[in-house]
Amino acid sequence: MNTGSSELNTSGNTQSQTRSGFVAIVGKPNVGKSTLLNSMLGVKVAPISPKPQTSRRGVRGIYSTPEEQIVFVDTPGLHRPKDALGKYMNGEVHSALADVDVILWVVDLRHPPADEDELVARIVRDLPKPLVLVGNKLDAAKYPDEALRLYAAQLEGRTGDTQQVMLSAQNDPGATAELRASVLALLPENPFFFPVGAASDQSREDWAAEIIREEAMKRLRDEIPYAIATRVTSWTERQDGLQRIEAELVVEKQSHKGIVIGQGGKQLRDIGQAARKQLEVFLSKHIYLGLEVIVIPNWRADQEALRELGYE
Ligand SMILES: Nc1nc2c(ncn2[C@@H]2O[C@H](COP(=O)(O)OP(=O)(O)OP(=O)(O)O)[C@@H](O)[C@H]2O)c(=O)[nH]1
């Protein structure tokens, strides 16, 4: 691995090198991967919701300084494939890991390892790449040292560079900045992969759709766990600057449509208002958000529908 130090060129001037690389954040659902990504980036990119399995797309966030760039690949929760969506998610995890420079394995220090952690451990154990075991939720863990030891034991026999850290992604920006520095030190000398100003390679439409889905998930977590997809169907700007966004919430069953709309349309109105507020904060522009609920029967098991909804 390169050292990343400044080199003397033939004219005797020091020429600084840039470091740049891809970093995957893996871990079972709900351990705090999106929270960690957002904290390391300093901006909100991936959706955060208290419900497991919310980050279904491989959202990438980019952290840049004049000399360094980390391209984060935020992989969806790793779990056993139950349907086509599950298979897509596991495929995402594998393809995300094939091509990265550093892996962050995030675990929840409040609990000892479960089957799903073992699954992740098995995949990352044999990859010859630098790995950081990130014990998250330190603020809420009773026996963090013991928990971390148990997770680390699952990596026994690993030959690649392995580091460990305990932190709270949610409320310790200092610790996440330190982790970012450690990750940067593990990256090779490379030219930048993206322009310095780039924060994410998501389109604004995908980004807005994720914010809408996040708000829907927060409100509907018990009624319709995972069966909601969102897509922005049009985005226009009026002369006075107002952004007019039309979006669809896609559900699997007619009965779900009624739940999403709610009595007298209240649920859908609440989702729309909350999402609009978030979008306005980020864009600093006035927004009109039109939401429609549509039914695509059994979309999670339907390859064509998954493709149409952008899960491919
Ligand atoms: N107490 C505590 N809670 C946290 C911390 N980090 C994340 N959480 C919470 O854990 C839950 C899951 O966080 P996410 O960032 O959505 O987790 P994820 O791993 O991306 O989840 P999936 O999208 O399901 O894979 C949310 O309710 C967060 O607020 C932390 O440091 N401490």
Side-chain angles (χ1 to χ4, degrees):
M1 184 175 292
N2 287 315
T3 58
S5 57
S6 297
E7 280 175 9
L8 232 63
N9 65 18
T10 45
S11 63
N13 295 327
T14 43
Q15 192 181 32
S16 70
Q17 298 288 316
T18 55
R19 268 173 198 282
S20 178
F22 290 82
V23 175
I25 302 180
V26 300
K28 74 171 180 188
N30 222 24
V31 291
K33 297 179 295 297
S34 301
T35 309
L36 181 69
L37 172 69
N38 291 332
S39 171
M40 289 176 86
L41 288 171
V43 293
K44 189 169 175 175
V45 176
I48 305 177
S49 146
K51 198 70 201 164
Q53 292 171 226
T54 47
S55 24
R56 284 195 299 229
R57 286 163 210 254
V59 179
R60 284 187 295 182
I62 299 160
Y63 173 82
S64 299
T65 70
E67 293 86 31
E68 305 155 326
Q69 182 168 76
I70 309 178
V71 182
F72 286 104
V73 192
D74 180 30
T75 51
L78 191 66
H79 71 146
R80 292 198 170 82
K82 288 203 188 83
D83 49 25
L85 179 65
K87 285 198 194 106
Y88 162 81
M89 288 170 67
N90 278 354
E92 279 273 287
V93 172
H94 283 106
S95 61
L97 295 183
D99 215 26
V100 299
D101 300 290
V102 177
I103 298 168
L104 301 184
W105 176 30
V106 185
V107 299
D108 185 341
L109 290 176
R110 295 174 309 169
H111 310 291
D115 285 358
E116 287 169 301
D117 297 293
E118 168 68 32
L119 211 65
V120 184
R122 228 182 295 152
I123 291 173
V124 299
R125 195 165 43 209
D126 301 326
L127 290 166
K129 300 173 188 280
L131 174 102
V132 186
L133 169 59
V134 182
N136 188 32
K137 310 197 186 183
L138 182 59
D139 57 303
K142 276 208 183 104
Y143 306 104
D145 297 311
E146 288 76 356
L148 192 70
R149 232 190 330 271
L150 293 172
Y151 284 105
Q154 300 204 313
L155 294 173
E156 232 166 58
R158 193 170 193 277
T159 48
D161 179 346
T162 311
Q163 301 180 14
Q164 297 178 12
V165 62
M166 294 196 283
L167 51 73
S168 170
Q170 192 162 262
N171 36 38
D172 191 352
T176 49
E178 254 174 56
L179 172 60
R180 190 173 58 210
S182 315
V183 169
L184 280 166
L186 292 167
L187 293 183
E189 282 179 8
N190 264 334
F192 283 2
F193 292 97
F194 291 88
V196 172
S200 164
D201 73 343
Q202 256 186 323
S203 71
R204 63 177 187 174
E205 282 80 6
D206 283 350
W207 168 78
E210 289 288 2
I211 287 181
I212 297 163
R213 193 160 66 84
E214 177 188 346
E215 290 304 331
M217 296 286 285
K218 268 194 217 157
R219 286 167 179 75
L220 298 164
R221 59 175 149 256
D222 297 326
E223 290 100 324
I224 311 175
Y226 311 122
I228 285 199
T230 48
R231 63 179 164 198
V232 167
T233 50
S234 100
W235 186 319
T236 49
E237 182 167 346
R238 255 185 11 200
Q239 276 204 331
D240 61 3
L242 180 101
Q243 309 288 306
R244 191 184 169 92
I245 303 171
E246 304 281 353
E248 289 173 346
L249 290 97
V250 184
V251 294
E252 288 191 308
K253 293 183 184 146
Q254 200 61 36
S255 59
H256 288 171
K257 184 172 174 174
I259 296 172
V260 177
I261 292 172
Q263 216 156 34
K266 182 172 183 318
Q267 185 73 269
L268 189 62
R269 226 171 17 250
D270 287 350
I271 293 169
Q273 265 172 19
R276 180 176 55 76
K277 267 194 215 139
Q278 284 230 45
L279 293 166
E280 286 186 337
V281 168
F282 280 115
L283 297 171
S284 302
K285 286 184 174 152
H286 284 304
I287 286 176
Y288 165 86
L289 179 61
L291 295 183
E292 194 185 343
V293 185
I294 65 162
V295 183
I296 301 182
N298 217 9
W299 66 261
R300 282 186 297 170
D302 178 341
Q303 288 295 350
E304 200 172 317
L306 284 168
R307 221 176 0 260
E308 246 180 57
L309 293 165
Y311 290 112
E312 196 149 278

